[in-house]
Structures are given as C-alpha cells and as structure tokens.
Amino acid sequence: MKKKFVFFVVIITLLPIHVGYSMQRPTFKSCVQLLHTHHLDELKRVLMTPPGPVRHNRFGDNLLHVAAYHGYDYAIETLVATGTSLDEINTNEGSPLHIATRRGFPRTVAALLGCDTNRNPRNSRGETALHTAIQEGPFSAEKLNLYYQVIANL
C-alpha cells in the first residue's frame, strides 16, 4: 500500500510542472533576447515548436524588423526559413527592407533582397525602400548602388 501512495504523490507533484512547461508560449521578448545573444539554433527550435511564440510586438514588428534594425544580416536566412514574413509593414517605419536601408546596413539589405523580399513595399507614408535610400544622406549612394547590383543579378 505504501508504494502506491508514494507513486501517486510523485505523479501529482510533477504533473503541474510538466503541463505548465508544455503549455507555456514563448514571448516576442524572449525571442528577441535569443536573437540579440546570437542563439540562432535555439531561436529556430522555439519558432518551429508548436504553438510557437507570439510573432509580433505592439508596433507590428516581427523578428525580421528587429534583425534589420540591429543589422543582424547573419540571422535573416534563419528567420525566413522559420516562416517569418519578409514583407510585413509595421506601424512605424515599414518593412525590414525600409529599416535596414534607413539604418545604413548594406549587408542586411543584401541579405533581405537575396531572400526574395518584395523590392517595392510601401510604408505608411507611401515610400518604397528606394525612396528611403535617396533620402538618407551620405550613405544613400552606397545603398542605392547595392540595391541595383542585386536587382541586376536576378
């Protein structure tokens, strides 16, 4: 009789831990943290495991917007492979392509264009990434040149 009781207590004790862990949904913030710390394998595992994390913050940013903002060109392919949308427009600056262009990250722009992103998405002001490149001062020629090189190679 003692063995059954101990076994029953252990199962009841461990059950909430297991159920709570399996039902917990990763937050957007925890995914951004993995992105910042360069843990791409762990991020890919989290994004591919059902039910998956919350995919947007309150501004409509997905993880590609965050990667573009920080110039994380190495993460673009991984995020696209996990189903993160390339062409989503957020409420502030536009698509990841707009953000990478505005922030001056030519390798990130090249990575986004290499993943077959929409080259002419329009932000809330009706501007394309090409408009953004023209408006952005000293690095605009470099960004514009890079933009046209990638298009010419397609």
Side-chain angles (χ1 to χ4, degrees), residues 43-98:
L43 179 61
K44 187 173 184 176
R45 185 192 65 74
V46 167
L47 291 172
M48 299 299 279
T49 304
V54 176
R55 295 259 178 181
H56 299 87
N57 65 9
R58 63 187 170 145
F59 303 111
D61 294 327
N62 64 25
L63 291 172
L64 278 171
H65 288 93
V66 175
Y69 184 84
H70 293 286
Y72 296 155
D73 54 286
Y74 59 85
I76 302 295
E77 286 183 26
T78 302
L79 293 172
V80 171
T82 61
T84 306
S85 175
L86 282 163
D87 300 326
E88 284 189 44
I89 305 294
N90 67 8
T91 58
N92 295 328
E93 296 184 48
S95 70
L97 188 58
H98 282 95

Side-chain angles (χ1 to χ4, degrees), residues 3 7 20-21 28 30 46 54 68 70 74 80 84 101 121 147 149:
K3 289 181 182 179
F7 180 70
Y21 179 74
F28 183 79
S30 65
V46 167
V54 176
H70 293 286
Y74 59 85
V80 171
T84 306
T101 304
Y147 187 84
Q149 281 179 356

Side-chain angles (χ1 to χ4, degrees), residues 2 11-12 18-19 24 33 52 77 82-83 88 92 107 112-113 122 126 128 135 139-140 151:
K2 271 186 172 179
I11 289 177
I12 296 299
H18 177 70
V19 170
Q24 187 177 7
Q33 224 170 5
E77 286 183 26
T82 61
E88 284 189 44
N92 295 328
R107 289 190 310 194
L112 287 165
L113 290 171
R122 295 189 179 271
T128 66
Q135 295 170 358
F139 296 107
S140 64
I151 289 177

